[in-house]
Amino acid sequence: MEIINRRQRMMSVARKLRREENRTIGFVPTMGALHSGHLSLIHEARAMCDVVVVSVFVNPAQFGPAEDFSSYPRDLTRDAALLAEYNVDYVFAPTVEEIYPSGFSTYVTVEGLSNQLEGASRPEHFRGVTTIVAILLSVVKPDFAFFGQKDAQQAILIKRMVRDLAFSAEIVVPPIVREESGLAMSSRNNYLNDDQRKAAAVLNRALSKAREAYEEGEHSAARLIEIVRVTIGKEPLARMDYVSVNDAETLEKLEKIDDRPALVSLAVFIGSTRLIDNVVLGKATKHDVAGAKA
Ligand code: PAF
């Protein structure tokens, strides 16, 4: 496994793999602090592609001024050891200056989809995400790029950006990986103490109740939202930020779920840690199985 810090080097390695060796590249972008969710993406990439590249870069452009950029967990030595165990071929771990050189002034925004849900609570967040993903896709030029379903809105935006700007990568979004309690794997779970970690299982519990109600015939968004709110309200350590029912592709807000897949997504504070989770209803794929372990 080679760790690459320079984008020129990453570009020339990737070019050689593609052109001279005719090998398919699977790319998993991460901000490090790797957990089983990332490892399942790597596992999927390993199964689908000849070469696996993982980036580790805590992207300042996607953190708001009051967010946790400086305290975000960073441990490249631990991450690299895990990645070597998973037979990753290349780790791209650039510095901030390497990605955003002095004078950097080009940003990518997916209009419309970036300001709602997570974007309403975190202005500029998605501009930062789509900008870094555009840069990384241009550097690595993978055949397939893998993103987690926990960040459902991010995956939707990236698919739209890739389509609109004609990136050649195909975007793959495997299902959410969960702890035994149902808590979705996230680097931010590291901020929770034991009691908070137990309390955080309420996110998946609330979504599972909404899914059960949907399966029993409840298709009104307002009533599904109420089920989620009531369940979250019963957990004293939890504070609701938002819950919403949207079209799973266009993110249009829905009043009723009918023939198109719907994304039920939420953000909840457990103490000062903000966690997100979601379930897709109305689509018979492995993606909407809340509680699935990949
Ligand atoms: O999902 C993440 O970890 C980040 O948003 C990503 C896609 C690596 C971009 O920084």
Side-chain angles (χ1 to χ4, degrees):
M1 186 179 84
E2 180 181 342
I3 300 181
I4 298 175
N5 305 117
R6 296 280 177 182
R7 61 170 157 179
Q8 278 308 334
R9 165 82 188 145
M10 186 70 250
M11 281 170 124
S12 72
V13 165
R15 194 180 305 120
K16 185 164 181 288
L17 289 165
R18 267 188 321 271
R19 288 200 191 152
E20 291 173 28
E21 300 177 21
N22 203 18
R23 300 217 275 164
T24 54
I25 301 178
F27 176 49
V28 183
T30 81
M31 298 205 300
L34 300 177
H35 51 66
S36 312
H38 297 114
L39 299 176
S40 85
L41 299 181
I42 292 163
H43 185 74
E44 198 89 7
R46 190 70 282 166
M48 286 175 67
C49 308
D50 299 328
V51 177
V52 177
V53 179
V54 175
S55 64
V56 176
F57 179 66
V58 184
N59 173 34
Q62 70 187 74
F63 289 79
E67 292 183 357
D68 53 347
F69 173 66
S70 53
S71 60
Y72 198 86
R74 291 166 173 84
D75 188 348
L76 185 59
T77 310
R78 172 193 169 273
D79 288 341
L82 267 174
L83 294 173
E85 248 177 65
Y86 272 70
N87 286 331
V88 164
D89 300 285
Y90 297 94
V91 179
F92 181 43
T95 59
V96 171
E97 295 70 34
E98 185 70 15
I99 294 293
Y100 299 114
S102 139
F104 183 93
S105 53
T106 306
Y107 292 86
V108 179
T109 306
V110 179
E111 303 284 340
L113 299 183
S114 299
N115 305 330
Q116 44 185 315
L117 302 175
E118 281 302 283
S121 303
R122 307 182 67 191
E124 309 290 302
H125 169 68
F126 285 119
R127 181 178 94 136
V129 170
T130 40
T131 300
I132 185 62
V133 173
I135 295 169
L136 293 171
L137 291 179
S138 301
V139 170
V140 179
K141 292 202 180 64
D143 297 276
F144 297 93
F146 298 78
F147 294 86
Q149 169 65 16
K150 181 180 72 66
D151 298 299
Q153 186 178 6
Q154 167 173 286
I156 291 167
L157 262 95
I158 288 167
K159 281 186 184 165
R160 182 67 69 86
M161 175 189 80
V162 161
R163 189 201 72 178
D164 290 354
L165 299 184
F167 283 97
S168 58
E170 191 171 313
I171 304 301
V172 184
V173 185
I176 297 176
V177 180
R178 298 179 181 279
E179 296 185 358
E180 209 51 46
S181 69
L183 173 62
M185 297 279 182
S186 163
S187 306
R188 291 197 168 95
N189 294 349
N190 289 330
Y191 299 148
L192 304 171
N193 64 29
D194 288 351
D195 288 342
Q196 290 172 332
R197 213 178 180 99
K198 278 189 204 127
V202 74
L203 278 79
N204 180 53
R205 209 158 53 241
L207 291 170
S208 299
K209 286 199 173 176
R211 190 199 53 203
E212 281 160 26
Y214 170 78
E215 283 167 357
E216 283 162 14
E218 181 57 85
H219 288 195
S220 148
R223 283 200 286 273
L224 294 172
I225 284 173
E226 188 54 21
I227 289 168
V228 171
R229 281 194 182 281
V230 167
T231 311
I232 300 289
K234 286 186 185 150
E235 171 48 66
L237 297 186
R239 183 166 55 83
M240 189 93 228
D241 184 357
Y242 71 81
V243 50
S244 187
V245 179
N246 298 67
D247 183 283
E249 204 178 304
T250 63
L251 289 185
E252 179 201 343
K253 227 181 174 94
L254 299 178
E255 285 180 9
K256 189 167 175 290
I257 304 176
D258 40 39
D259 52 342
R260 290 175 53 80
L263 175 74
V264 183
S265 61
L266 51 66
V268 173
F269 283 96
I270 303 286
S272 58
T273 304
R274 187 171 174 283
L275 300 175
I276 59 172
D277 202 345
N278 66 81
V279 63
V280 178
L281 302 178
K283 189 171 71 158
T285 75
K286 57 185 182 168
H287 285 233
D288 60 354
V289 183
K293 293 190 178 59

